[in-house]
Amino acid sequence: GAVVSQHPSRVICKSGTSVKIECRSLDFQATTMFWYRQFPKKSLMLMATSNEGSKATYEQGVEKDKFLINHASLTLSTLTVTSAHPEDSSFYICSAQGAGDPGELFFGEGSRLTVL
Amino acid sequence: KQEVTQIPAALSVPEGENLVLNCSFTDSAIYNLQWFRQDPGKGLTSLLLIQSSQREQTSGRLNASLDKSSGRSTLYIAASQPGDSATYLCAVRPDRSQGAQKLVFGQGTRLTINP
């Protein structure tokens, strides 16, 4: 199947700093990517839908100014956690949508963010 | 609003047993249903995808069924092995009229296979 790569897989940062997480579709073009957040022993919560070349659509309750999403190309979307705080510590997973209507979804390996 | 529920939340069985994981959803207007496996600290691995027009899908020791009218799906694992230990997530994709792009996930069943 198609491969979606996330980087970094783990990141530790100090409170108040910003962290960028990348999501790449390695062997296909993804016009749409999704960002999820997962709390310990909980399911995935959709944060936002990222469309190439346009603004992301955020789910209710997700602060768009804190979680900046950029989908600059058909193979790359980035999530930037701005002014991170300990409560932002979580597991972030992206998925990319392949061709078709709707296309199959492929998931990245996730990124573990720890804010000290 | 679509809601997905998985029961049980956790399951522990001896190696070699056959087992069934359950998933239910509130709105039968779905495009497809997908079962994923998640190992601790890892992303999701797709196991089986069932289109709304299908009743079941099989892959090796795994068999997933779908009863759209009753809002239920089951994942059957035959001859379980310790390597099957993981969290299993069920997700539904709404039909086109309700925004087919987004997946709605259940909370998962944490499966432990004891040697």
Side-chain angles (χ1 to χ4, degrees), chain B residues 47-48 57-64:
Chain B
L47 298 174
L48 290 165
Q57 282 286 333
T58 299
S59 175
R61 294 182 293 108
L62 305 179
N63 176 277

Side-chain angles (χ1 to χ4, degrees), chain A:
Chain A
V3 177
V4 176
S5 173
Q6 268 186 254
H7 178 79
S9 57
R10 291 177 180 272
V11 57
I12 300 173
C13 70
K14 293 182 179 181
S15 185
T17 61
S18 295
V19 174
K20 180 185 286 187
I21 301 171
E22 293 185 346
C23 177
R24 294 181 184 272
S25 56
L26 296 186
D27 50 3
F28 67 101
Q29 293 183 330
T31 55
T32 304
M33 292 184 173
F34 302 88
W35 286 96
Y36 295 85
R37 183 174 180 175
Q38 187 176 32
F39 293 98
K41 298 184 179 180
K42 299 290 185 182
S43 189
L44 279 71
M45 180 191 77
L46 180 65
M47 298 174 65
T49 302
S50 167
N51 292 297
E52 187 265 337
S54 64
K55 290 184 178 181
T57 302
Y58 290 82
E59 296 299 302
Q60 192 173 11
V62 178
E63 298 176 62
K64 62 181 180 181
D65 293 331
K66 164 164 276 297
F67 299 102
L68 299 179
I69 292 173
N70 183 285
H71 194 156
S73 76
L74 288 173
T75 59
L76 173 65
S77 176
T78 60
L79 168 67
T80 302
V81 183
T82 63
S83 187
H85 288 95
E87 57 265 30
D88 298 324
S89 298
S90 193
F91 193 58
Y92 294 89
I93 303 178
C94 74
S95 71
Q97 181 165 272
D101 181 26
E104 188 173 355
L105 293 173
F106 303 96
F107 285 80
E109 281 289 301
S111 299
R112 168 77 58 194
L113 170 63
T114 303
V115 184
L116 302 176

Side-chain angles (χ1 to χ4, degrees), chain B residues 60-112:
Chain B
R61 294 182 293 108
L62 305 179
N63 176 277
S65 69
L66 174 64
D67 184 342
K68 213 172 70 162
S69 61
S70 67
R72 293 181 181 180
S73 175
T74 61
L75 178 66
Y76 175 82
I77 302 177
S80 58
Q81 302 171 358
D84 295 330
S85 298
T87 295
Y88 290 80
L89 293 162
C90 162
V92 301
R93 199 162 188 185
D95 68 14
R96 283 188 176 82
S97 67
Q98 301 188 42
Q101 295 194 81
K102 301 178 184 179
L103 288 182
V104 180
F105 283 86
Q107 291 190 305
T109 294
R110 193 166 63 256
L111 176 65
T112 302

Side-chain angles (χ1 to χ4, degrees), chain B residues 6-72:
Chain B
Q6 290 185 247
I7 295 174
L11 180 64
S12 181
V13 301
E15 180 179 3
E17 280 200 5
N18 303 324
L19 58 99
V20 174
L21 307 181
N22 297 293
C23 172
S24 61
F25 46 96
T26 55
D27 190 338
S28 62
I30 66 171
Y31 184 74
N32 60 39
L33 182 146
Q34 201 162 357
W35 283 92
F36 295 90
R37 169 185 173 139
Q38 184 176 31
D39 292 291
K42 299 291 185 181
L44 305 183
T45 300
S46 179
L47 298 174
L48 290 165
L49 185 151
I50 311 177
Q51 301 294 347
S52 62
S53 59
Q54 297 175 321
R55 298 282 294 182
E56 66 177 347
Q57 282 286 333
T58 299
S59 175
R61 294 182 293 108
L62 305 179
N63 176 277
S65 69
L66 174 64
D67 184 342
K68 213 172 70 162
S69 61
S70 67
R72 293 181 181 180

